[in-house]
Amino acid sequence: MTKDKAVEALAVRVTELEMTAPPKQSLPVPVNIQTAIMRVPEIPLPFYRFLYLQVGKRWNWVDRLRMSDTDLTGVLHDKRNTVTVLYVNGAPAGFFELLQVDEDTVELSHFGMFEHALGLGLGKWFLLQTLYAAWNSNPKTVRVATNTLDHPRALQLYQRFGFSPVSTHDASVQPLSDDELLKFALSL
């Protein structure tokens, strides 16, 4: 077996955004597509890792994949955390994750779609459904962070839906190695 070569860390610019009022717009569900959005209480770890990897692999999402089962269970099964899955024509197609930080603040910690669901006209509609869910507990603020490794239009889309940048900072992301990717793929 060959030794996996080290993967260089990637420099990223992180933008933190806040929204202080619920969205006012509405969007129709795209036609000729069956959709369902279902919250998954106490989501099984393999299913969560599958969702996370399918959405985040191309954007270098790594943090949750590297967490131990115990740590990930603690995060996901915290009563303040919710995971909700988008299904398109019966198959998982994306998910969002919300954290009720405190009475006044909800954090959109993860949002994204699988590649097979892109280009169907669902992205904006799904983000709007996500924001409706975030505002369901009547917070004063909904927060989200994005970075330069995310979808090229992510920042623009968040701003279009009412988020305003509040801070930026530099960070780095250590991409998954080939061995890690293989390990996660085999564990699904």
Side-chain angles (χ1 to χ4, degrees):
M1 185 171 206
T2 62
K3 178 128 174 93
D4 195 26
K5 53 183 180 176
V7 181
E8 280 192 44
L10 301 171
V12 297
R13 184 79 173 155
V14 177
T15 302
E16 300 196 19
L17 303 103
E18 289 185 353
M19 184 179 198
T20 56
K24 294 189 178 4
Q25 66 264 51
S26 65
L27 293 168
V29 177
V31 295
N32 299 324
I33 299 173
Q34 294 181 340
T35 61
I37 298 175
M38 298 178 67
R39 186 167 171 253
V40 187
E42 298 195 19
I43 188 167
L45 296 187
F47 185 45
Y48 180 84
R49 285 188 173 118
F50 165 76
L51 296 170
Y52 190 92
L53 188 60
Q54 290 302 309
V55 170
K57 181 171 46 176
R58 68 188 171 282
W59 313 119
N60 287 288
W61 290 7
V62 297
D63 296 341
R64 297 288 175 88
L65 294 174
R66 290 182 172 139
M67 292 175 85
S68 70
D69 286 356
T70 302
D71 290 345
L72 187 56
T73 298
V75 169
L76 295 177
H77 296 179
D78 181 321
K79 64 180 177 15
R80 300 171 306 144
N81 197 75
T82 61
V83 177
T84 303
V85 179
L86 168 68
Y87 293 86
V88 173
N89 297 328
F95 80 102
F96 66 84
E97 186 173 346
L98 300 172
L99 176 64
Q100 185 80 42
V101 176
D102 56 39
E103 186 177 297
D104 294 333
T105 310
V106 171
E107 179 181 314
L108 172 53
S109 47
H110 293 95
F111 171 84
M113 294 172 48
F114 290 21
E115 285 189 54
H116 75 84
L118 300 177
L120 300 177
L122 290 168
K124 292 174 188 153
W125 173 81
F126 185 45
L127 179 56
L128 190 58
Q129 303 315 302
T130 301
L131 295 176
Y132 290 155
W135 283 96
N136 196 42
S137 64
N138 296 315
K140 291 187 174 140
T141 305
V142 174
R143 298 188 317 215
V144 68
T146 187
N147 69 58
T148 50
L149 295 178
D150 281 340
H151 189 285
R153 292 190 305 265
L155 179 59
Q156 176 187 10
L157 185 62
Y158 287 135
Q159 289 177 297
R160 180 175 172 194
F161 277 82
F163 283 96
S164 296
V166 293
S167 70
T168 59
H169 64 273
D170 293 320
S172 66
V173 172
Q174 184 66 47
L176 296 174
S177 67
D178 289 344
D179 283 350
E180 286 177 307
L181 275 171
L182 182 60
K183 178 185 116 184
F184 296 129
L186 290 174
S187 69
L188 300 176

